[in-house]
């Protein structure tokens, strides 16, 4: 249901430009942060529209703190959600299953695609998940 995806902004100026690119400059209804750095968590909050939702999927390193203004959270009624995806033990177990041959990852994975092809592949859907590489295929 996403209408558009943008690369993550890396500066305050880029955050402002991206926010201005949203309808009426209000910000995005949904922002997914998947990097896991305090500055990207703060940028995600800055990019969200009033009443929007911010999913903090990227886990920051243990012992880090993040700072962002309270007004968008309170007066803008933002919703922040965390998402924890796996543990090191779960990854080791999954890799062991793949290495043993008892889990056939090829049955789950689709073709290799470049980063520039991701929007079209996601729009097309499909049962297998593409393997994203950094270069165009």
């Amino acid at each position: 249901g996403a209408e558009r995806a943008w690369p993550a902004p890396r500066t305050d100026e880029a955050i402002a430009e991206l926010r201005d690119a949203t309808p009426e400059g209000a910000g995005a209804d949904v922002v997914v942060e998947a990097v896991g750095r305090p500055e990207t968590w703060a940028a995600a909050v800055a990019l969200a529209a009033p009443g929007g939702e911010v999913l903090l999927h990227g886990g920051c390193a243990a012992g880090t703190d993040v700072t962002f203004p309270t007004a968008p959270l309170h007066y803008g009624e933002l919703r922040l959600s965390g998402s924890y995806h796996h543990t090191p033990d779960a990854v080791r177990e999954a890799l062991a299953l793949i290495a043993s041959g008892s889990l056939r990852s090829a049955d789950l994975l689709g073709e290799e695609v470049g980063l520039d092809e991701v929007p079209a592949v996601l729009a097309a859907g499909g049962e297998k998940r593409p393997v994203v590489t950094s270069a165009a295929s």
Side-chain angles (χ1 to χ4, degrees):
E3 292 181 18
R4 189 164 177 196
W6 286 282
R10 299 184 182 271
T11 65
D12 289 342
E13 181 179 274
I15 290 169
E17 287 175 19
L18 179 52
R19 190 176 176 93
D20 287 344
T22 64
E24 300 178 16
D29 294 329
V30 177
V31 179
V32 178
E33 189 288 334
V35 176
R37 298 180 54 89
E39 58 270 25
T40 57
W41 278 34
V45 169
L47 289 167
E53 183 167 1
V54 178
L55 173 61
L56 302 168
H57 183 67
C60 294
T64 58
D65 294 315
V66 63
T67 302
F68 37 72
T70 58
L73 298 175
H74 181 77
Y75 298 108
E77 299 180 348
L78 290 184
R79 291 179 310 279
L80 301 182
S81 300
S83 171
Y84 188 68
H85 40 87
H86 56 73
T87 64
D89 286 342
V91 171
R92 280 190 283 279
E93 183 178 347
L95 292 174
L97 287 169
I98 292 169
S100 73
S102 61
L103 175 67
R104 294 178 31 152
S105 59
D107 292 341
L108 305 173
L109 302 176
E111 64 184 307
E112 284 191 19
V113 298
L115 287 173
D116 59 333
E117 298 172 276
V118 169
V121 169
L122 292 176
E127 291 184 19
K128 292 188 176 186
R129 300 295 176 235
V131 177
V132 180
T133 63
S134 60
S137 30

